[in-house]
């Protein structure tokens, strides 16, 4: 049995842990904040219970999920996926620490949505064992997994990431490394142009969302999606895109995003957004 570690018990980490347990993997969920760890583990167990009621997983799937308080307890893992906040140095520090804790053969995966995996892999003791596994929010429901090959990633590690994603029931695509990879690169104009329309006073955010739903067939409008993901997360990603492209004007963050984050209006998680 593959032993899966997940670092970070927020929405993404809890969802990834749910997928791991549902796929029959012993899943160790870690978070440095005890309250976050408890919330994340409970969210994953609730999701597994719902799936068990529908016959999608065995009733014992939740027993495979184990919250662990320290990184040291991830030593038995074959694969560790970090779902920590989108900060490069934090993720690099995690990979360095996990390299010390886990065995030489452990595969370290990052759920980053915008930071080049190549720049994270260099912090690991064995960079060839690092790969990107970019899940989409919320992971239990979104069907796609983007596997990102860093410059250092071995073929075997990329294949393991692909096979793990398929075991979780995901449609897997392999993308090259670079700002935003493939999916977020395609999706960046969706929010960027919506924010420009709002800033220019051409339409309200409600009108823009409605047009995208009714006219273009999107399940959610751009502002609804930003509220679901987190306005702060979108702002961090926008800043990352802008920096990694060396100031490419089309990726410039919007002052509206900065103002919303400063006001604490982060979307669903704060109870107030656009």
């Amino acid at each position: 049995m593959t032993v899966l570690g997940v670092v970070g018990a927020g929405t993404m980490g809890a969802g990834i842990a749910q997928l791991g347990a549902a796929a029959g993997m012993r899943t160790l969920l870690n978070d440095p904040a005890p309250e976050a760890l408890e919330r994340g583990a409970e969210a994953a167990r609730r999701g597994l219970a719902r799936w068990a009621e529908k016959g999608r997983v065995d009733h014992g799937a939740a027993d495979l999920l184990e919250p662990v308080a320290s990184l040291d307890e991830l030593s038995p893992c074959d694969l560790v996926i970090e779902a920590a906040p989108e900060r490069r140095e934090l993720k690099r520090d995690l990979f360095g620490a996990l390299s010390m804790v886990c065995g030489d053969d452990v595969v370290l995966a990052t759920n980053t949505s915008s930071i080049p995996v190549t720049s994270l892999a260099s912090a690991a003791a064995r960079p060839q064992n690092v790969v990107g596994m970019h899940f989409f929010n919320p992971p239990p429901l979104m069907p796609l997994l983007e596997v990102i090959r860093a410059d250092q990633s071995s073929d075997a590690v990329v294949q393991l990431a692909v096979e793990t994603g398929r075991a979780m029931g995901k449609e897997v695509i392999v993308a090259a490394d670079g700002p935003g990879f493939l999916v977020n690169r395609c999706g960046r104009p969706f929010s960027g142009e919506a924010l420009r329309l709002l800033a220019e006073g051409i339409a309200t955010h409600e009108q823009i969302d409605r047009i995208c739903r009714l006219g273009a067939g999107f399940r959610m409008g751009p502002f609804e999606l930003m509220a679901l993901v987190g306005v702060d997360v979108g702002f961090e990603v926008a800043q990352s895109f802008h920096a990694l492209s060396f100031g490419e004007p089309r990726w410039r963050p919007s002052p509206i995003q900065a103002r919303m984050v400063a006001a604490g209006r982060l979307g669903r998680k704060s109870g107030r957004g656009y």
Side-chain angles (χ1 to χ4, degrees), residues 106-130:
V106 69
V107 173
L108 301 177
T110 173
N111 182 53
T112 181
S113 59
S114 64
I115 302 170
V117 180
T118 297
S119 73
L120 302 178
S122 61
R126 291 162 290 281
Q128 68 273 18
N129 286 359
V130 175

Side-chain angles (χ1 to χ4, degrees), residues 2-4 25 77-81 105-109 128-133 135 145 147 149 154-168 172 174:
T2 298
V3 181
L4 172 68
M25 304 175 199
C77 291
D78 304 300
L79 167 65
V80 179
I81 303 173
D105 295 328
V106 69
V107 173
L108 301 177
Q128 68 273 18
N129 286 359
V130 175
V131 67
M133 292 181 71
F135 293 82
L145 171 66
V147 170
R149 179 192 292 272
S154 72
D155 290 342
V157 163
V158 172
Q159 187 58 35
L160 175 69
V162 169
E163 291 171 358
T164 300
R166 288 176 178 159
M168 292 175 171
V172 183
V174 178

Side-chain angles (χ1 to χ4, degrees), residues 32-244:
E35 306 83 9
L37 180 57
E38 184 178 346
R39 282 196 306 271
E42 183 55 33
R45 290 193 183 105
R46 283 198 308 271
L48 289 165
R50 286 194 297 270
W51 282 354
E53 289 171 5
K54 296 176 181 177
R56 291 183 56 182
V57 300
D58 294 335
H59 282 278
D63 296 335
L64 294 171
L65 179 66
E66 304 172 36
V68 296
S70 70
L71 289 181
D72 291 344
E73 294 176 84
L74 299 177
S75 59
C77 291
D78 304 300
L79 167 65
V80 179
I81 303 173
E82 69 79 16
E86 195 74 349
R87 296 197 294 273
R88 181 175 177 271
E89 288 310 313
L90 172 60
K91 292 177 184 290
R92 284 179 57 83
D93 288 347
L94 265 177
F95 276 3
L98 289 166
S99 294
M100 301 292 291
V101 166
C102 300
D104 289 348
D105 295 328
V106 69
V107 173
L108 301 177
T110 173
N111 182 53
T112 181
S113 59
S114 64
I115 302 170
V117 180
T118 297
S119 73
L120 302 178
S122 61
R126 291 162 290 281
Q128 68 273 18
N129 286 359
V130 175
V131 67
M133 292 181 71
H134 179 210
F135 293 82
F136 295 85
N137 190 11
L141 299 181
M142 298 297 281
L144 186 65
L145 171 66
E146 191 174 35
V147 170
I148 299 99
R149 179 192 292 272
D151 287 358
Q152 306 96 320
S153 302
S154 72
D155 290 342
V157 163
V158 172
Q159 187 58 35
L160 175 69
V162 169
E163 291 171 358
T164 300
R166 288 176 178 159
M168 292 175 171
K170 298 302 178 189
E171 183 73 30
V172 183
I173 59 171
V174 178
D177 198 14
F181 319 126
L182 178 59
V183 176
N184 273 351
R185 178 72 177 271
C186 290
R188 190 97 305 251
F190 185 55
S191 58
E193 194 59 33
L195 285 161
R196 279 188 282 274
L197 286 167
L198 183 64
E200 293 170 20
I202 293 171
T204 67
H205 69 273
E206 295 100 332
Q207 290 169 328
I208 295 166
D209 278 349
R210 184 169 180 270
I211 289 164
C212 287
R213 285 196 312 271
L214 299 182
F218 286 98
R219 296 275 301 274
M220 303 178 79
F223 293 98
E224 291 172 305
L225 182 59
M226 284 186 266
L228 174 65
V229 172
V231 178
D232 54 334
V233 174
F235 185 42
E236 287 179 354
V237 171
Q239 292 178 92
S240 175
F241 258 82
H242 196 237
L244 291 168

Side-chain angles (χ1 to χ4, degrees), residues 222-234 257 260-274:
F223 293 98
E224 291 172 305
L225 182 59
M226 284 186 266
L228 174 65
V229 172
V231 178
D232 54 334
V233 174
Q257 290 174 296
M260 294 286 285
V261 172
R265 294 171 61 172
L266 310 181
R268 291 191 186 185
K269 62 184 173 184
S270 69
R272 193 177 182 208
Y274 287 96

